[in-house]
Amino acid sequence: MSRAVNRRIVLASRPVGAPAPENFRLEETAVPQPGEGEVLVRNLYLSLDPYMRGRMSDGPSYATPIAIDAVMGGGTVGRVVESRNAAFKEGDLVLAFGNWQDYALSDGADLMALPSGLARPSWALSVLGMPGFTAWYGLLKIGEPKEGETVVVAAASGAVGSVVGQIAKLKGCRVVGIAGGAEKCRFVVDELGFDACLDRRDPDLAKKLKEAVPAGIDVYFENVGGAVFNAVLPLINVHARIPLCGLIAAYNATALPEGPDRMPVLQRSLLVKRAKMQGFIISDHYATDYAEFARDMGAWVAAGKVKIREDMIDGLENAPKAFAGLLEGENFGKLVVRIAQE
C-alpha cells in the first residue's frame, strides 16, 4: 500500500497552569508497519476530554503521566487500513486508544469493532462511549436517583452533564443544569428537556439556585468544583448523593484557592446531612458494567430519548488550541477533532 506521513502531536513540555501552544509539538514520522498479529488503524476522530490535563502533569494520579516527547493520549474512532490480526480486516471501523496522530498501531487488545452502518461513528466517543458511560454509571450506580427527586448537574451542556440530565429526566426527576452562558442554558432546557438551567457566571448563582430547587438537592453530579460546588453545598438534602467524576475548575490551578479554608464546612455538611460524596474513575467499571450501559444507552439513543451535541473541530493540528479551550469552557457539546474524512 502507498504510505503517507504519520502526523502526531507530542507533549513538548509540562504546562504550568493552562496549557499553551509551546507545550505541544507537531511531528511527522513514517507510518508504522504492522507486524504479525498487529493492526494499522487510520484515525478518523479524536476525543478531547478534561482528564487529559491531569496526564500532562507528572504528579501522582490514577493514570501514568504522558512522558515528554511522547504522543498525547486519547480515544479515537478509526478504520483498519492493514491487518495481520485474524480478528480484524481491512475496512473495519474500530473504537481505539489511537492517540493524537493520523495512524495507530495495535495488537488488537485495545480495539472494539463498531457496526459498519453506524450513522454517526463519532458518537462512539461521546454518548455511546466513555462520556456517556461516565454519566450513566455515576448517576445510576452512585447517585441512585428516585422519581420525584431533584438532580442538579454541573457543566450541563457538556458531553457528560448533558447525558446525566437526560437520564435523570427519564427516571422522573426534576433536573436543574448549570452551564456557561445563556445560549448553552437555552439548549439544555429547550433541546435536552431540563426543567431549568442557570449560568455559572451569574454573580447571583447561589441565590438563583436556591430558588430553582425549592425542595433542596437530592443528587448533585459533580464534574466542575469551584464556585459551582460552593453554591450547591448549602442546598443538599439529608441523604444526598454526590457522584464526583471531575473538577475541571481546578485543573489549571497552580496553588490552593485564596480565601478561608472551606474543608470544615464540607465535612460538617456531609456529616449533618448524612450525605454520600463518592469519586469514581470510569475505567474501573468497564468489565462489570459496560454491557448494561451499552444496552440501555443504545436503546435510548435509537428511540430519540437521549440526544447529543457535538462540537466538531477539523484538523489534527488544531487539537492543542481546542483542548485549551475545553478547559476554559469554550466548547459547546462533546469536543471531537475530525482527523480525516470517513
Side-chain angles (χ1 to χ4, degrees):
M1 61 178 285
S2 176
R3 293 189 177 276
V5 169
N6 181 40
R7 298 174 306 150
R8 63 180 198 167
I9 294 176
V10 304
L11 182 64
S13 60
R14 302 208 181 277
V16 177
E22 58 267 24
N23 299 131
F24 304 93
R25 184 173 66 251
L26 178 64
E27 297 181 340
E28 292 187 354
T29 63
V31 177
Q33 177 89 28
E36 189 63 35
E38 291 185 322
V39 178
L40 179 64
V41 177
R42 175 63 161 111
N43 290 329
L44 303 175
Y45 300 99
L46 165 67
S47 177
L48 295 182
D49 300 286
Y51 77 84
M52 295 172 175
R53 177 60 184 86
R55 296 200 64 205
M56 295 177 70
S57 301
D58 59 1
S61 185
Y62 63 89
T64 303
I66 296 170
I68 298 299
D69 297 328
V71 65
M72 285 289 300
T76 56
V77 166
R79 197 170 295 281
V80 174
V81 294
E82 192 171 350
S83 177
R84 298 184 66 184
N85 184 315
F88 300 93
K89 64 181 186 301
E90 184 178 331
D92 283 351
L93 197 64
V94 294
L95 178 65
F97 201 75
N99 303 325
W100 296 27
Q101 57 187 347
D102 288 321
Y103 292 88
L105 203 59
S106 171
D107 63 3
D110 64 335
L111 302 183
M112 179 184 298
L114 297 173
S116 58
L118 195 61
R120 298 287 294 272
S122 57
W123 282 8
L125 298 172
S126 58
V127 65
L128 299 175
M130 183 272 289
F133 187 26
T134 300
W136 178 91
Y137 183 90
L139 180 66
L140 298 184
K141 300 297 183 179
I142 299 175
E144 299 179 317
K146 302 173 183 63
E147 186 173 357
E149 289 190 325
T150 296
V151 176
V152 172
V153 185
S157 67
V160 175
S162 64
V163 177
V164 170
Q166 292 177 85
I167 299 173
K169 288 300 296 181
L170 290 173
K171 298 301 179 180
C173 299
R174 172 175 171 77
V175 181
V176 176
I178 300 174
E183 184 183 1
K184 291 181 178 180
C185 284
R186 280 193 296 270
F187 168 75
V188 164
V189 173
D190 297 343
E191 297 295 326
L192 303 184
F194 285 46
D195 295 286
C197 187
L198 306 174
D199 186 347
R200 66 175 174 84
R201 304 187 186 104
D202 192 324
D204 291 326
L205 174 62
K207 176 177 178 291
K208 291 181 179 179
L209 180 59
K210 185 176 182 178
E211 294 170 351
V213 293
I217 299 171
D218 300 295
V219 181
Y220 170 55
F221 197 100
E222 174 66 294
N223 51 19
V224 171
V228 174
F229 183 73
N230 291 342
V232 166
L233 187 60
L235 304 174
I236 63 173
N237 288 333
V238 172
H239 300 305
R241 288 85 68 197
I242 305 175
L244 168 61
C245 76
L247 294 166
I248 194 170
Y251 285 172
N252 288 331
T254 57
L256 292 174
E258 296 181 0
D261 179 7
R262 294 185 58 82
M263 182 60 73
V265 176
L266 171 60
Q267 292 174 319
R268 187 176 192 282
S269 297
L270 295 178
L271 173 62
V272 172
K273 298 296 180 65
R274 286 85 89 195
K276 176 177 74 172
M277 185 173 185
Q278 181 177 335
F280 70 102
I281 304 299
I282 196 58
S283 57
D284 294 341
H285 305 287
Y286 274 84
T288 54
D289 296 283
Y290 183 80
E292 183 183 356
F293 154 75
R295 182 199 66 207
D296 287 354
M297 191 60 68
W300 290 333
V301 170
K305 295 180 179 180
V306 173
K307 305 173 185 178
I308 191 71
R309 174 176 175 138
E310 288 183 315
D311 191 339
M312 188 71 72
I313 305 297
D314 280 304
L316 176 65
E317 66 278 7
N318 294 316
K321 181 179 178 182
F323 176 67
L326 170 69
L327 298 177
E328 299 297 329
E330 295 176 5
N331 61 300
F332 192 165
K334 177 66 186 85
L335 188 57
V336 178
V337 176
R338 181 162 40 210
I339 298 176
Q341 297 294 330
E342 296 178 42

